[in-house]
Amino acid sequence: MPKETFYNLDKEKREKIERVALSEFANFGFHGAKVNRVVDKSGISKGSFYQYFTGMDDLFVHIVENLGKKKISFIGSELKLLGEKDFFEKFESMFLSGVKFYYSLSEDEITISKMLPIIKNLCSEKLEVMKKEANQIFFEHLIDEAISTGEIQADRDFAFVVISNTSKQIIQYLRRKNKVMGIEKVFENESNVKEAISLFLDLLKMGLTKKEGKNE
């Protein structure tokens, strides 16, 4: 993560360095990105760069973390607008907010997001922290709320495992159904996305709205 000296910079200067770094990694890849280009375009010295970051690996992880925080903030804001909708409506809105977030990204941000599966080991610790934070915001809170209201009548841990993996399953299903791999192709047909969500929500409702050991 960046050193304290980076956070001591004024916001405008920090954001300029981040914009330059985002463009550098997007245009030259993780292995092709160079400190010299970043410092030249940011208007800082090479010595200053190493006062802010330990190296390009550190800078890349910071860029990834910024993207993760941006996604959490975006979806969290969308969820706050849902009011009294039930759990399953909130899940649908949350998934569609994730799609909306993807299409709100710049080309450089999309390029960075596509790089993650290739070099995820570099960012594994940061990604796990962000995943835990997202789970707490998007799943655990909603699950606890749904259990308290009786919308979910399953074991909390079981519900969490099923629900937290449903988004991945929807994407996998859409890739198989549409015979595509790129995420932008997966999401480009809105009616297909909504149909897939509906199918998986039906399964969730059947599995999570009956208490264990009780049949109708």
Side-chain angles (χ1 to χ4, degrees), residues 148-161:
S148 70
T149 60
E151 292 176 80
I152 290 178
Q153 299 177 352
D155 174 77
R156 183 180 186 273
D157 293 328
F158 173 77
F160 175 78
V161 171

Side-chain angles (χ1 to χ4, degrees), residues 80-99:
K80 287 179 181 178
L81 303 175
L82 299 181
E84 299 302 316
K85 288 187 177 182
D86 67 26
F87 170 82
F88 299 99
E89 290 175 308
K90 288 179 179 177
F91 179 90
E92 179 179 15
S93 295
M94 184 171 63
F95 187 91
L96 291 174
S97 293
V99 176

Side-chain angles (χ1 to χ4, degrees), residues 11-194:
K11 183 180 178 181
E12 185 177 345
K13 192 167 186 176
R14 288 200 314 270
E15 290 180 346
K16 181 177 182 180
I17 294 171
E18 289 166 348
R19 286 196 303 272
V20 169
L22 180 68
S23 177
E24 178 70 13
F25 286 116
N27 284 292
F28 296 97
F30 174 74
H31 296 291
K34 301 297 181 185
V35 172
N36 287 340
R37 282 194 294 262
V38 171
V39 299
D40 287 346
K41 294 177 183 178
S42 299
I44 61 175
S45 68
K46 201 167 185 178
S48 293
F49 175 89
Y50 286 107
Q51 287 181 339
Y52 307 147
F53 305 96
T54 58
M56 291 297 281
D57 290 13
D58 193 28
L59 178 56
F60 181 79
V61 172
H62 176 63
I63 296 303
V64 169
E65 185 177 28
N66 279 352
L67 274 177
K69 288 179 178 178
K70 185 176 179 179
K71 182 175 183 178
I72 290 172
S73 176
F74 184 96
I75 298 178
S77 296
E78 295 275 313
L79 286 177
K80 287 179 181 178
L81 303 175
L82 299 181
E84 299 302 316
K85 288 187 177 182
D86 67 26
F87 170 82
F88 299 99
E89 290 175 308
K90 288 179 179 177
F91 179 90
E92 179 179 15
S93 295
M94 184 171 63
F95 187 91
L96 291 174
S97 293
V99 176
K100 185 178 176 182
F101 171 76
Y102 178 83
Y103 284 112
S104 76
L105 296 176
S106 67
E107 289 186 14
D108 285 348
E109 288 172 325
I110 290 174
T111 300
I112 295 297
S113 68
K114 289 179 178 178
M115 291 168 60
L116 291 182
I118 303 171
I119 50 178
K120 61 183 179 180
N121 289 340
L122 175 68
C123 306
S124 59
E125 185 176 342
K126 286 290 183 185
L127 291 174
E128 282 302 312
V129 170
M130 288 186 285
K131 182 179 178 181
K132 184 176 180 180
E133 183 180 351
N135 284 341
Q136 290 173 338
I137 296 172
F138 305 143
F139 296 124
E140 293 183 4
H141 172 70
L142 292 181
I143 289 170
D144 287 341
E145 188 179 71
I147 289 175
S148 70
T149 60
E151 292 176 80
I152 290 178
Q153 299 177 352
D155 174 77
R156 183 180 186 273
D157 293 328
F158 173 77
F160 175 78
V161 171
V162 172
I163 292 164
S164 62
N165 284 286
T166 298
S167 294
K168 294 178 183 178
Q169 292 170 345
I170 291 172
I171 293 172
Q172 184 179 3
Y173 167 74
L174 285 168
R175 279 179 168 150
R176 183 177 177 85
K177 179 181 175 66
N178 299 324
K179 297 180 174 57
V180 296
M181 289 302 296
I183 202 72
E184 66 279 0
K185 294 292 184 181
V186 169
F187 292 151
E188 69 180 1
N189 188 316
E190 185 176 349
S191 62
N192 281 351
V193 173
K194 289 185 176 181

